[in-house]
Amino acid sequence: MTLAKTRGRLGAAAVLTAAALAGVALMAREGTSSDHVDTAEVELSPTLDLNDVYVFPGSSDGRIVLVMDVASPTNLLGRSVTRFDPNALYQFKIDNTGDAREDLVLQFLFDEMSDGTSRVNVLGPAAPNNVDTQGMVNRPVTSPVSANNPFGSTFTTTSGMTVFAGQRNDPFYIDLEQFLQIVPDRRPATFLTEVATDNKMPSAFCGAAAPFDTSCTPKDFLQGANTLSIVVEMPESMLGVATGNDGKLGVWATIGR
């Protein structure tokens, strides 16, 4: 059976970036950051909302795991997001020389099929066609190293990568009610209207002891929330860990349309 597929043209019209700098081997530095529904652009385009990037050791020595979470919460407050954007290029960017510029990119494209299913295409890791120094979107680097893989299932590439792209529970924690009390101007215009605030303007998150606010109980807003995840386990050698920059890597992610 032949299935038609759709994928939009990639350009530099929109770039949304979240960064997580992770030290591998020596663990010299670590960066932490998270964004959920953080701008008007991603509020209207949830599949471009890059939430979190994780990097951690793999299931055996010499392997590494990269995770990109997108579009959380996919299933709360009237949202129903089930697929990645077929018009977007999802990328991990890897700096293995310590100059804060990507030396390699690992890219993902998604096809929507005529039978209603989605397919996952993996490109790289490979040297980028253009280095992202001014917010430009890297172009797809090569023909897919692994094409037409099922969405929501784990698959293995011939190059030794194990990949999953699909729905997962969001591991991120936030007490959103308290956050919007502390920073009320961050409430989206058309989203999260159900989250209550009383304009008390506290100075800290809720908790059992100082420096937290002991007058309230923390609430995990994202309990039960799902996210779209791209998870890759691969040999560290594919990213230049063994020889580049004393075994350290910088890893961040972008979504470009």
Side-chain angles (χ1 to χ4, degrees):
M1 177 174 64
T2 301
L3 300 178
K5 62 183 180 181
T6 59
R7 182 192 300 149
R9 182 179 179 184
L10 297 169
V15 181
L16 299 108
T17 306
L21 182 64
V24 178
L26 298 181
M27 299 298 291
R29 292 186 295 171
E30 178 180 322
T32 56
S33 178
S34 181
D35 288 288
H36 289 62
V37 199
D38 202 48
T39 68
E41 170 71 16
V42 296
E43 185 181 343
L44 298 173
S45 305
T47 52
L48 301 181
D49 187 4
L50 180 48
N51 306 139
D52 293 290
V53 175
Y54 303 96
V55 183
F56 49 87
S59 58
S60 60
D61 288 345
R63 292 181 69 81
I64 188 171
V65 178
L66 310 181
V67 181
M68 178 194 317
D69 284 346
V70 175
S72 177
T74 64
N75 59 326
L76 298 182
L77 300 176
R79 267 186 163 186
S80 180
V81 183
T82 59
R83 303 283 177 80
F84 291 90
D85 190 339
N87 300 308
L89 177 65
Y90 296 81
Q91 301 186 90
F92 290 104
K93 298 188 175 186
I94 297 95
D95 166 28
N96 58 24
T97 58
D99 62 357
R101 296 185 178 185
E102 66 268 33
D103 300 294
L104 298 170
V105 291
L106 179 59
Q107 302 175 330
F108 299 83
L109 291 168
F110 296 87
D111 293 325
E112 292 297 316
M113 313 304 288
S114 58
D115 65 349
T117 62
S118 183
R119 295 289 192 270
V120 186
N121 303 286
V122 185
L123 298 83
N129 286 318
N130 56 291
V131 176
D132 182 10
T133 57
Q134 297 179 352
M136 297 180 63
V137 179
N138 295 131
R139 299 184 303 276
V141 290
T142 58
S143 298
V145 297
S146 183
N148 200 35
N149 299 287
F151 176 85
S153 298
T154 301
F155 58 90
T156 301
T157 71
T158 56
S159 58
M161 293 185 288
T162 302
V163 180
F164 172 87
Q167 295 262 11
R168 281 292 182 261
N169 183 257
D170 190 347
F172 185 71
Y173 176 96
I174 184 171
D175 184 349
L176 188 61
E177 288 188 16
Q178 190 75 348
F179 174 79
L180 291 177
Q181 297 274 26
I182 298 169
V183 195
D185 63 334
R186 296 299 296 275
R187 178 191 288 276
T190 61
F191 187 58
L192 302 180
T193 56
E194 295 87 345
V195 178
T197 58
D198 55 18
N199 299 315
K200 290 181 178 179
M201 295 296 290
S203 59
F205 283 99
C206 304
F212 298 104
D213 184 346
T214 59
S215 68
C216 57
T217 301
K219 302 174 183 177
D220 182 7
F221 174 74
L222 291 175
Q223 183 175 6
N226 289 336
T227 184
L228 292 175
S229 290
I230 298 173
V231 185
V232 185
E233 184 183 76
M234 61 198 304
E236 291 180 356
S237 58
M238 294 181 70
L239 302 181
V241 178
T243 57
N245 195 29
D246 294 326
K248 296 188 292 291
L249 288 177
V251 179
W252 62 104
T254 66
I255 305 171
R257 175 181 285 172

